[in-house]
Amino acid sequence: MAEDTSLEAALARLFNTPTGLKAASWITLTGGTRLFSAGDESDHLYLLRSGRMGVFRHDDDHQGLHLIGVIKPGEPVGEMSLIADTPHTSTVIALRDCELMVLPKADFLKAIEAAPDVLLALSKQMIERARSGTPREGRRHNTPNVFAFFALNDIIVRPLVERIAEQVRALGYRVAVLDKDHHGTGADIFAEAEAHNDYVLHVAEKPESHWRLLSSRQVDHTFWIADARHHSQRPHSDPARLPASTLNLEDSQLLDPLGLQRAPDLILIQAQEADGRKVIAHTRDWLDAFKPARWFHVGEHSLPDAARIARIVTGHSIGVVFSGGGARAFSHIGAVQALREAHIPIDFICGSSMGAIIGGCVALDWSDAEIDAHIREAFVVSSPLDDVTFPFVALTGGRKVDQRLEQHFGDVLIEDLPLPFFCLSSNLTSGTIKVHKTGRLRQALRASISLPGVMPPVVEDDQVLVDGAVMRSFPALMMRNSHLGTVIGVDVTRAKGIDPKSVHVPKSLPTWFLKGDWRKGPPIVSILMRSATITTAADLEQSRLACDLLIIPEPEGVEIREWHAYDLAVESGYQTSVQSLAQLEQPVTQLRKLGISLHPNIPAFTPDDSFLTPPRPDKLKYTLKPQGVTLPRFLKGPKKPQPKL
C-alpha cells in the first residue's frame, strides 16, 4: 500500500518521532482566546486537533482585523513564520473551544531531520497559498455549518429545531442536533459531530444556562427563539443566563471576547389563523430589547416556515431583487407569478422605486390575485400622477399617491412583514442611500418612489428622501450580502426609456386635454423620471454580476409612465421569467456563488446604512472577497416556455 503523503499524515509522523513524542505538549483554548498576534516571535509549531481557529490580519492603520482564513482540525498553525524564521504576520484566534499539540521551534527543527517529508509537505502548502493569494481560502472552510438555537423565554424550542433539522435532511445533508444531554461528555463530542455531519444544530432551552454558555463557544452563528405572542421583557439576571447583546460591555466580553456573536438572528414564533397566515405582533418590542441582525417570523406549527429557516441555514435561501423603472416595473408581477408556478420559494425580497412597491406586495404574502387587484386599483385604473400643481417643489402634489398607499398598505410596519424586506430611498441631505428595513411600510414606499421634480420628497428625521433609483436602481449587491443563498434579479432598467415622440411639445393644448394625455403629465415628467433613474453602465454591470439568475424583461411599447400598459408589462415579465427558468442547468437553490469568503461566526450582512460609513475603530471588520464571480450558465438554445395555466 502506498504511503500517505498528505500534510496531515506527515505532521502525524512528525509528532510521533522520538523528539516529537518527548517535546510535544497539549494545550486547550476556549473560544475567543488569542493564540498569538501579528508581530509575535514564531517559536512553536501548533497542530490543531479539535475546534476551529481564525486567521486575521490588521488594517493598514492597525485599527481593525480582517478574517482571511479558517484553520480546521489536522492543519498546522504558525508553520510559515516558523520555517521562514520571521515574526508572525497574522493573528490567530480560537473560533471554537480548541485542542492543540505544541512543539517548540528547536525540537521541530530537530524532528524534521528524522521526518524530512514534513518539511516538503509544508513547503508545498506554502507555495499553494502564495499562488492563491491569501491563506486558507475557500468556501468550504468559511461557510457556517454549526448553529445554535437558544430560547429567550419559556417557549420549548426543541420541537422547532427538530423540524428545521428534518428539512435540512430533506435537502440532502447530514445533520446532528446536540442538547444539554451532551454537556460534560468532553470536547471530542463537538469535533466528532462536526466531522460526521454537514450541519450541527445546538439547542438550549431558557433554564439551561450552563449548556448555552458552553454551546455559544462552539457555534458559527446563533439564532435566538422567542414566543412573540408575549411582550418582550428584557431580562435582568446573572450574566450566564443572558445573550451577549443584552449584557453590559464587561460581562459581554467575558462571554464573547471577540464580539463574534453580538449580532444573532431572531426567530419570533407567531400565532396562525385558520388559513395558515401568521398573526404577527410585538416585533418592535423584541427588536428594541435584543437588536438582532435579522429576524424571521415563524408560525407555531408551520412546516413551510421551518423549511425556510433550513434554507437560510444551508445557503439554499432565495432572495429576489426588483429594479425601479416606472410602469415597466409591472413586469415584476409577472416574474413573481412565474417563480410561484415553478414552486420557487422567496425567502428575502427587496426593491427600489416601483420595484419596492411590488416587493412590498410580495413581502405581505399576498396571492397573485391580491397583488393584481391592489396594483391595478392603485396605479392602473387612473394615473397616480395627475394631481398636477404649481411646481414649487414638484409637478404633482403627491396627495393621490399618499392616499393610495394608505388605502392599500395601511399602517403595517416593515418589521411585521411575513417575509424579510427592505427598500431604498436616496437621502439628498447626506448624499447617501437610505435603507428602509423598519418603520411604516407605506412611508418607506412613498420615499422610494418620490421622483425628484415629479413628486414632493419625503422629509424624515430632518432628512430629505427621494426616489431610491436616483442612487441605486437595482440593489442586487445589498441582497447578495443579506443571506448566503441565491440572488434572483429582475431588472427592467435596460428597457427603453424615453420615446423621442413623448417629449414633443403638444401642438394643441385643447386637444392634449381632450385626449386625456394630460393625465400622464407634461413631457417634462418623462424627462425628469428618466433623468432621475438613469444608471451608469458600470453600476448596472456590477449590480447584475451580483445575481445568480438575472431576468431582463423587455416590455415592448411600455414607457416609464405608461401605466395603462399594465397587462403588457406583466405578460412580458412572466414570459421572460419562464424562459430564463427553463434554460437553467441546475436547481435555482444551487446557483449560489462559489468563492465568496464569509466569516463563519458573523451572520450575513443585514442591510442598513453601515456600509456607507467608515467602520468604528473599536470594532472588528471582516472582508468579503469575491473570487471569479460569473453569471450562471445556460443551455444552448432557448427552450419553449410552458403555457401559462
Side-chain angles (χ1 to χ4, degrees):
M1 181 181 295
E3 184 180 16
D4 189 348
T5 59
S6 67
L7 174 60
E8 186 171 359
L11 288 169
R13 289 193 293 274
L14 173 69
F15 279 90
N16 281 312
T17 61
T19 301
L21 288 171
K22 182 179 180 181
S25 59
W26 286 82
I27 63 171
T28 60
L29 298 178
T30 57
T33 304
R34 188 174 299 223
L35 179 62
F36 54 75
S37 299
D40 290 350
E41 289 298 321
S42 177
D43 48 12
H44 291 85
L45 174 69
Y46 302 92
L47 178 64
L48 182 63
R49 301 307 300 166
S50 66
R52 188 174 291 191
M53 309 197 78
V55 183
F56 297 83
R57 282 190 180 159
H58 284 280
D59 291 335
D60 293 336
D61 56 8
H62 291 274
Q63 292 184 335
L65 290 173
H66 290 280
L67 179 84
I68 60 172
V70 174
I71 303 169
K72 300 184 75 174
E75 296 184 354
V77 187
E79 74 286 356
M80 295 181 70
S81 298
L82 192 69
I83 294 174
D85 195 24
T86 61
H88 291 295
T89 58
S90 304
T91 297
V92 174
I93 302 171
L95 302 178
R96 307 261 204 281
D97 286 354
C98 296
E99 291 183 342
L100 302 99
M101 293 185 69
V102 185
L103 189 63
K105 180 177 181 178
D107 296 298
F108 165 73
L109 296 175
K110 187 183 299 183
I112 60 174
E113 294 179 1
D117 57 322
V118 176
L119 187 59
L120 178 61
L122 288 172
S123 299
K124 288 181 178 179
Q125 178 174 277
M126 292 169 64
I127 293 172
E128 290 174 359
R129 290 184 192 168
R131 287 176 175 173
S132 66
T134 58
R136 309 178 198 274
E137 279 190 330
R139 188 177 178 88
R140 70 180 184 88
H141 285 295
N142 295 3
T143 300
N145 68 315
V146 182
F147 297 86
F149 294 84
F150 295 157
L152 287 180
N153 52 14
D154 294 331
I155 187 173
I156 303 300
V157 302
R158 179 64 185 258
L160 172 60
V161 177
E162 289 290 356
R163 289 198 299 273
I164 294 171
E166 191 59 36
Q167 293 301 313
V168 172
R169 294 187 187 99
L171 293 172
Y173 296 106
R174 297 167 299 171
V175 60
V177 178
L178 303 184
D179 58 16
K180 63 180 178 62
D181 292 339
H182 296 85
H183 191 201
T185 56
D188 288 344
I189 188 66
F190 302 118
E192 290 176 6
E194 193 168 353
H196 293 93
N197 293 277
D198 300 301
Y199 292 92
V200 180
L201 311 182
H202 291 237
V203 56
E205 309 296 349
K206 184 181 178 182
E208 299 165 359
S209 57
H210 294 292
W211 165 246
R212 175 161 56 185
L213 183 58
L214 176 62
S215 289
S216 66
R217 301 199 307 263
Q218 319 305 325
V219 302
D220 295 325
H221 183 56
T222 298
F223 288 88
W224 292 331
I225 305 178
D227 188 343
R229 292 168 292 187
H230 304 288
H231 284 280
S232 167
Q233 294 182 352
R234 193 181 182 96
H236 297 282
S237 183
D238 64 279
R241 293 182 177 270
L242 300 182
S245 71
T246 68
L247 307 177
N248 61 45
L249 179 61
E250 182 179 356
D251 289 334
S252 178
Q253 289 176 341
L254 287 174
L255 288 182
D256 185 20
L258 278 180
L260 297 178
Q261 301 283 355
R262 289 188 189 170
D265 290 330
L266 175 63
I267 296 175
L268 292 174
I269 306 299
Q270 305 286 359
Q272 290 181 271
E273 296 178 338
D275 62 358
R277 294 200 176 190
K278 292 180 281 291
V279 182
I280 297 175
H282 309 314
T283 307
R284 185 73 262 168
D285 292 339
W286 288 97
L287 300 189
D288 289 342
F290 293 94
K291 296 179 173 52
R294 304 177 299 183
W295 53 94
F296 307 101
H297 298 291
V298 172
E300 184 178 9
H301 303 293
S302 172
L303 193 59
D305 286 341
R308 177 157 56 95
I309 300 300
R311 290 192 298 272
I312 291 168
V313 163
T314 59
H316 283 252
S317 51
I318 303 289
V320 178
V321 187
F322 293 143
S323 73
R328 297 195 309 273
F330 293 148
S331 298
H332 301 323
I333 298 174
V336 172
Q337 294 172 359
L339 292 174
R340 288 175 171 176
E341 286 184 6
H343 303 290
I344 295 173
I346 298 176
D347 301 305
F348 298 86
I349 189 79
C350 76
S352 185
S353 194
M354 272 301 292
I357 297 288
I358 309 304
C361 297
V362 177
L364 279 162
D365 204 20
W366 286 348
S367 66
D368 292 347
E370 288 174 315
I371 295 175
D372 178 79
H374 283 287
I375 296 300
R376 279 186 186 275
E377 186 176 352
F379 295 95
V380 182
V381 173
S382 63
S383 172
L385 298 177
D386 60 7
D387 56 338
V388 180
T389 186
F390 191 82
F392 282 114
V393 177
L395 292 173
T396 66
R399 291 181 297 275
K400 290 188 68 172
V401 172
D402 291 339
Q403 292 168 359
R404 295 182 186 189
L405 290 177
E406 183 175 7
Q407 175 187 352
H408 294 280
F409 294 98
D411 290 324
V412 66
L413 301 177
I414 296 176
E415 55 265 35
D416 287 336
L417 294 173
L419 291 178
F421 169 80
F422 68 90
C423 66
L424 309 185
S425 64
S426 301
N427 189 327
L428 295 186
T429 303
S430 64
T432 59
I433 297 172
K434 169 68 177 178
V435 183
H436 302 266
K437 59 176 182 174
T438 59
R440 190 167 292 170
L441 175 62
R442 62 180 167 90
Q443 185 171 353
L445 298 180
R446 172 65 168 80
S448 191
I449 62 173
S450 297
L451 280 160
V454 178
M455 291 176 57
V458 171
V459 179
E460 181 180 297
D461 298 328
D462 294 327
Q463 305 293 300
V464 178
L465 307 179
V466 297
D467 197 296
V470 171
M471 299 190 71
R472 188 69 53 83
S473 179
F474 190 41
L477 280 169
M478 296 180 188
M479 177 59 77
R480 175 106 222 129
N481 290 329
S482 69
H483 72 129
L484 298 176
T486 295
V487 174
I488 299 177
V490 187
D491 183 15
V492 295
T493 57
R494 182 183 178 184
K496 185 178 179 181
I498 297 180
D499 186 337
K501 296 179 181 179
S502 67
V503 299
H504 290 165
V505 177
K507 295 181 179 180
S508 169
L509 287 179
T511 303
W512 185 62
F513 274 99
L514 289 174
K515 291 176 62 177
D517 289 343
W518 67 274
R519 294 184 180 277
K520 301 178 185 178
I524 191 176
V525 172
S526 290
I527 297 174
L528 288 172
M529 291 180 72
R530 185 56 179 156
S531 299
T533 59
I534 195 166
T535 302
T536 66
D539 287 343
L540 185 58
E541 181 181 7
Q542 186 182 37
S543 295
R544 288 180 171 181
L545 285 174
C547 299
D548 300 295
L549 173 60
L550 180 62
I551 300 171
I552 307 177
E554 294 283 5
E556 293 295 332
V558 181
E559 196 257 333
I560 53 180
R561 58 192 181 113
E562 297 285 348
W563 308 108
H564 64 276
Y566 171 85
D567 292 304
L568 182 60
V570 171
E571 184 64 18
S572 173
Y574 173 81
Q575 293 295 338
T576 305
S577 299
V578 168
Q579 292 171 5
S580 297
L581 293 172
Q583 293 171 355
L584 290 177
E585 290 183 336
Q586 53 189 335
V588 173
T589 56
Q590 297 179 17
L591 292 179
R592 54 184 174 168
K593 296 288 193 298
L594 298 177
I596 302 296
S597 178
L598 289 169
H599 189 279
N601 284 66
I602 295 296
F605 170 75
T606 300
D608 56 25
D609 290 334
S610 63
F611 69 96
L612 297 169
T613 57
R616 290 173 52 187
D618 59 339
K619 287 189 176 181
L620 293 175
K621 294 179 289 185
Y622 304 92
T623 303
L624 307 181
K625 295 185 177 180
Q627 301 291 322
V629 177
T630 58
L631 292 175
R633 295 180 298 161
F634 295 96
L635 295 175
K636 294 182 179 179
K639 292 184 178 180
K640 185 177 181 180
Q642 297 296 320
K644 183 176 180 181
L645 299 179

